Amino acid sequence: MEFVSLPVTALKNVVNNHFSSKEPWQIVTITTSTVLLSVWIYEFIFQDESVIERAKRTFFKYIRLIPSIRKEIDLKMAEVKDALEKDVREREHLVKYITQLPTAGLSRNDILRTVDNNLNLGGFNWKNGKVSGTVYYSNPELLELVRDVYAKTSYTNPLHPDVFPGLCKIEAEVVKMGVDIFYGDAETCGTMTTGGTESILMACKAYRDYALEEKGIKKPEMVIPTTAHSAFHKASLYFKIRIRYVPIDPHTTQVNIKAMKRAINSNTIMLVGSAPNFPYGTMDDISAISELGLRYNIPVHVDSCLGGFLTAFMAEAGYPVPICDFRLPGVTSISADTHKYGFTPKGSSIILYSNRKFRHHQYTVTTEWPGGVYGSPTVNGSRAGGTIAVCWATMLNFGKQGYIRATREIIHTTKYIEKGLRDIKSLYIFGQPATSVIAIGSCVFDIYRLSASLIKLGWNLNILQFPSGIHICITHVHTQPGVADQFLNDVRDAVGEILEEPQAPVEGKMAIYGVAQSVPDRSIVVGFTRCFLDSMYYTPTKEDTNKK
């Protein structure tokens, strides 16, 4: 790297300017001190985080040590924890917790009745299309097919290919169907995973190991848009890959290609583009990113986890989109979730590579284990064969024409809702939605007030930050008659009420999101989030029982 020469140059200048009149022992002492100081300065400046970020983190770290501030933070954390657990208790007060194994096993009817009780705890009616994303298809006939296939394959495991060779064949067929959908060739390959996050993790792991073996890169970096999925951040933590975030154009919400080019250096192991991104549903210029990858000989990953099973069929459905697949020569991998617009049950995704040399570096192989040579294609060793089989069955059940038809209905509904929202003057749409996500903001009122109003009407939308926004992800459930019009009518009514007092602050739970954006010490937000995750594992204690 070009930075390595900086401390050496500085040392030469010090020697020439200040050491000429010193005794030898003085020169040795001063030089040693200068070397140590230079190394310390170099390492401080050129770490994974920027100087500004590390300075902020260090500042807040010491501020939190002040007793009065520490006490205030602890009180707030306790309040958040209590509020979250209270929500859980209020939502689940009608059901009984099972915290110990029953002495005698429960009957089939008792178990099924308990399952129904648990599934009815949520307050949102996703079957009527009032939830953003989450459930992408609902059909009794498909559900029956999935149930029957899963019953036959629920105890299978592709970790044992000699025992379940037919299941391995099924997985290979899912991958090859994906290769065909995204215009791969004879060299294109891949694996199934348990979801989009694992698909992204696998791509990052593969490119890290490929770069080390083929290019000798020991300090890997990936260049990604700020809108790229948070799974890339998870991969950076798991695999020690530095992230260089690239800003987006504030109007198009697409990644800034010139800034991406400037972020590339000799340690770059991969470039990333989203087709589309999760926050705004806009598509990065994948063609331009592909050209950068070719120019600098860097792999390009296209994250199509959210909308890949839409973009693949949109042209034939009458809604062409820019090419974002293996037809672009610089694209070396694509992640796409079958359990989203592939309409398969939750727990399946595919990661595809343009060449086996990349997939080989995704694998984990242990050769010296007393239990034998062990090879695993993905994060998991044992994998749920039933999930693989129902993914395969769903894809075969839909067929190409089924996916084209569903895509046409979803995109038509999306554009209908987008047009209706654009007609509401106090709202604006982030960028140009590429597939099924419509992100909404407002310059007139706090957009979180709209989210709060829609929650009261039974709608559940996704919250965005930096800047504040909300989005709705249109699924096939939203294509049911009347759902789109009901949503638009509810938005218009809610906005009308808000505009009666546009400057009023947001209240209730939605206020937390606004506060979270304004907290400069992000570790506090981390603490709040940990409390939320803890609440997902809440079970009542004796104290909670006494409170009742």
Side-chain angles (χ1 to χ4, degrees):
M1 289 178 62
E2 58 182 348
F3 298 129
V4 174
S5 63
L6 293 179
V8 176
T9 303
L11 283 176
K12 287 181 178 179
N13 291 335
V14 170
V15 171
N16 292 334
N17 295 333
H18 302 288
F19 289 359
S20 57
S21 61
K22 303 294 183 183
E23 295 294 329
W25 66 270
Q26 292 176 308
I27 293 176
V28 171
T29 303
I30 295 173
T31 302
T32 302
S33 300
T34 306
V35 168
L36 292 174
L37 178 61
S38 297
V39 169
W40 182 86
I41 293 173
Y42 175 79
E43 291 182 346
F44 179 81
I45 294 175
F46 300 110
Q47 289 184 19
D48 286 350
E49 290 182 304
S50 68
V51 175
I52 295 175
E53 288 300 316
R54 277 179 285 123
K56 283 170 58 179
R57 193 180 68 231
T58 302
F59 170 76
F60 289 123
K61 175 182 177 180
Y62 286 108
I63 283 292
R64 291 195 300 272
L65 294 178
I66 299 173
S68 59
I69 294 179
R70 180 73 263 170
K71 181 179 178 180
E72 184 68 22
I73 292 174
D74 289 343
L75 286 172
K76 290 295 182 185
M77 287 295 177
E79 288 178 9
V80 170
K81 175 180 177 294
D82 290 343
L84 289 169
E85 291 186 356
K86 181 181 178 183
D87 283 345
V88 175
R89 288 195 298 272
E90 291 178 350
R91 183 174 66 238
E92 303 175 3
H93 74 284
L94 296 177
V95 296
K96 180 182 178 182
Y97 276 86
I98 302 172
T99 57
Q100 293 180 327
L101 280 174
T103 304
L106 300 181
S107 69
R108 179 180 184 275
N109 288 338
D110 285 343
I111 292 172
L112 291 177
R113 183 167 53 251
T114 303
V115 169
D116 288 337
N117 290 338
N118 287 329
L119 292 179
N120 290 328
L121 288 175
F124 296 99
N125 191 337
W126 59 265
K127 292 182 180 179
N128 288 343
K130 288 212 164 186
V131 174
S132 171
T134 311
V135 179
Y136 291 80
Y137 198 87
S138 181
N139 178 278
E141 290 76 18
L142 179 61
L143 184 61
E144 185 176 350
L145 172 66
V146 166
R147 183 193 65 197
D148 292 345
V149 172
Y150 196 86
K152 292 177 180 292
T153 58
S154 57
Y155 281 88
T156 61
N157 183 352
L159 181 64
H160 305 284
D162 51 342
V163 181
F164 303 110
L167 189 67
C168 293
K169 171 180 175 289
I170 285 174
E171 179 178 7
E173 289 175 352
V174 169
V175 171
K176 273 302 182 183
M177 284 189 281
V179 168
D180 178 65
I181 288 169
F182 292 102
Y183 295 90
D185 56 26
E187 294 298 316
T188 311
C189 58
T191 69
M192 288 187 67
T193 67
T194 57
T197 291
E198 188 183 1
S199 290
I200 289 170
L201 288 175
M202 290 294 87
C204 294
K205 190 266 184 191
Y207 291 138
R208 182 200 66 174
D209 292 358
Y210 174 80
L212 177 62
E213 183 170 317
E214 300 296 328
K215 301 179 181 180
I217 296 177
K218 297 180 179 180
K219 294 184 177 181
E221 300 181 1
M222 56 177 147
V223 177
I224 72 174
T226 55
T227 49
H229 196 275
S230 59
F232 290 99
H233 177 248
K234 183 178 287 188
S236 78
L237 297 176
Y238 285 4
F239 303 135
K240 295 188 181 301
I241 304 172
R242 179 182 180 181
I243 293 181
R244 288 190 177 272
Y245 285 107
V246 182
I248 61 171
D249 182 290
H251 300 292
T252 67
T253 70
Q254 294 176 305
V255 67
N256 185 316
I257 297 298
K258 291 183 179 179
M260 177 169 275
K261 179 181 177 182
R262 290 194 297 269
I264 295 172
N265 61 36
S266 59
N267 284 328
T268 304
I269 65 166
M270 62 188 294
L271 307 177
V272 174
S274 302
N277 63 56
F278 174 83
Y280 309 121
T282 53
M283 184 185 297
D284 293 320
D285 188 344
I286 304 300
S287 178
I289 299 173
S290 168
E291 291 177 5
L292 287 178
L294 288 174
R295 183 183 308 173
Y296 296 102
N297 190 29
I298 298 171
V300 172
H301 178 77
V302 178
D303 175 22
S304 288
C305 287
L306 176 58
F309 274 77
L310 291 176
T311 60
F313 303 105
M314 282 177 65
E316 291 178 271
Y319 297 97
V321 291
I323 294 175
C324 53
D325 49 41
F326 289 118
R327 286 174 288 181
L328 296 173
V331 171
T332 54
S333 60
I334 297 172
S335 53
D337 286 358
T338 46
H339 69 193
K340 289 191 173 72
Y341 294 100
F343 307 130
T344 71
K346 290 299 178 183
S348 67
S349 176
I350 53 175
I351 170 65
L352 305 174
Y353 299 99
S354 61
N355 192 283
R356 291 184 184 182
K357 66 182 180 182
F358 298 123
R359 184 173 66 175
H360 284 171
H361 289 283
Q362 175 183 303
Y363 298 159
T364 299
V365 179
T366 304
T367 60
E368 307 305 317
W369 181 41
V373 176
Y374 179 90
S376 177
T378 60
V379 169
N380 298 296
S382 292
R383 291 182 291 152
T387 301
I388 295 170
V390 296
C391 172
W392 170 84
T394 302
M395 293 176 70
L396 293 180
N397 183 250
F398 267 89
K400 189 173 183 180
Q401 290 303 318
Y403 281 123
I404 292 172
R405 181 168 55 252
T407 297
R408 184 181 298 113
E409 293 167 354
I410 290 168
I411 302 303
H412 173 78
T413 302
T414 302
K415 291 188 176 299
Y416 178 80
I417 291 176
E418 179 192 347
K419 182 179 183 302
L421 291 173
R422 288 189 185 277
D423 289 339
I424 302 174
K425 302 303 181 183
S426 56
L427 299 179
Y428 65 84
I429 305 298
F430 288 88
Q432 180 57 55
T435 55
S436 59
V437 172
I438 310 167
I440 314 164
S442 177
C443 295
V444 179
F445 58 85
D446 190 325
I447 195 65
Y448 294 154
R449 290 180 64 195
L450 177 57
S451 180
S453 297
L454 291 174
I455 286 174
K456 293 178 182 178
L457 296 172
W459 296 95
N460 181 281
L461 274 61
N462 298 90
I463 304 299
L464 312 177
Q465 62 175 353
F466 306 128
S468 298
I470 57 178
H471 87 211
I472 182 168
C473 178
I474 305 302
T475 71
H476 196 267
V477 182
H478 296 104
T479 66
Q480 298 175 89
V483 174
D485 285 322
Q486 183 182 0
F487 176 70
L488 288 172
N489 289 334
D490 285 348
V491 171
R492 293 187 191 101
D493 291 344
V495 169
E497 292 183 11
I498 292 170
L499 290 178
E500 293 177 3
E501 196 176 356
Q503 300 306 315
V506 64
E507 297 177 347
K509 292 181 181 179
M510 286 298 112
I512 296 175
Y513 291 98
V515 171
Q517 290 181 88
S518 64
V519 174
D521 184 357
R522 305 309 290 171
S523 68
I524 294 176
V525 181
V526 170
F528 290 162
T529 307
R530 287 171 176 166
C531 288
F532 171 76
L533 294 174
D534 284 343
S535 73
M536 294 169 59
Y537 295 92
Y538 166 83
T539 54
T541 63
K542 290 183 179 180
E543 292 180 358
D544 294 331
T545 303
N546 292 334
K547 287 179 183 178
K548 292 182 180 180

